[in-house]
Amino acid sequence: MIENIDMKELEKKAWTSYFQDGLFDITIGMIMLVAVLSSTLDAIGVSDEVRISIYIPLMVIVPPVFFILGKRYITLPRLGVAKFGARRKARNKIMIAGLVSVQLVLLAILILQVYGVGLGWFGFIIVTLNILAVFCLIAYLLDYRRMYVIGILVAASEPMTVVLRRYSDTVYRGFIAYGIPAIIILAMGLIVLHHFMRKYEKPAKETPDASQG
Amino acid sequence: MPARDDSERPPLMGEVDRVIHEPARFAIMANLFVIESADFLFLMRRTGMTKGNLSSHMRKLEEAGYVEVVKDFVMRKPHTMLKLTKKGRTAFREYSRSMKQVFNELPS
């Protein structure tokens, strides 16, 4: 048995089992839907101050709360709990630092736009590359392949907005640019979640402690 | 002719750690070896064993001093976790080394 077991692969499988629940995908889809709402509010003429006062709390509260509750009440009771070694913890820290930095950059660009400082093409390129870089970083550090696809879908929203603004008069460009990728990502997450819940049914009652034998 | 040093010779099958050699217990040990700790349910999922089966093998590993039960907090709630002891990690490494040596010594 020992001669054909790959311990690295075993660790990787244990780790990636936590991403079989689709919650990450759904959370990102939700974040994008909030962006759609923001864009729609903009299209119907709601002022930037009001729009941001709705957009920011929704963005900051709803998706993370959904993710945490989902992990607590869907994933952990079905999959159980595991704590990983120092290598995974270090990778998580790098990932969190990356996420925080991109949020700060995006927030800075948003604030500049509110105060009328448009960065034009430069701002657009920064946003797109930032999104792509962060998703690739997450995918790589978490060994989470689906995140590359999500990253491309999310990053594509920005150039699509610019193209639609330039070549179309539609007021629904926000919905088209962010809404379609958001729906694809959400659907992907829901399918994965459905498979996860079918594969791992909730145990009928408490599993015994090992000490009880 | 000088006598061969015992530490250099490949282990005999009788000397291989029988506690770990059983496939189910090997699966438990291997899964716990690559992580820090896990609860009972996670090990059930990873090994594909039933509750009763896992409990019985876990008891043998505990008796051998290879696995210990630790109380931890998960999402601020106390949770029972299982982890390899230092003795368990050493035994698994030793077992792995012995088995590799056994297979390496096979005539081609």
Side-chain angles (χ1 to χ4, degrees), chain A residues 78 81 83 89 201 210 213, chain B residues 36-37 39 45 59 72 82:
Chain A
R78 286 175 167 81
V81 180
K83 292 198 169 179
K89 283 176 187 164
E201 284 184 9
Chain B
E36 203 176 279
S37 61
D39 68 2
R45 299 302 193 200
R59 194 167 50 238
D72 209 339
L82 303 150

Side-chain angles (χ1 to χ4, degrees), chain B residues 48-97:
Chain B
M49 287 183 218
T50 61
K51 264 186 224 175
N53 204 2
L54 183 57
S55 286
S56 113
H57 287 298
M58 199 57 83
R59 194 167 50 238
K60 283 183 181 140
L61 290 170
E62 267 192 278
E63 282 165 7
Y66 292 170
V67 171
E68 65 178 334
V69 176
V70 287
K71 295 284 176 191
D72 209 339
F73 282 88
V74 175
M75 292 195 161
R76 294 180 189 171
K77 283 185 176 176
H79 203 77
T80 304
M81 303 287 278
L82 303 150
K83 66 185 289 188
L84 284 189
T85 58
K86 206 172 173 182
K87 184 182 172 188
R89 283 195 177 270
T90 309
F92 190 79
R93 272 199 200 96
E94 183 59 29
Y95 172 81
S96 162
R97 194 190 60 79

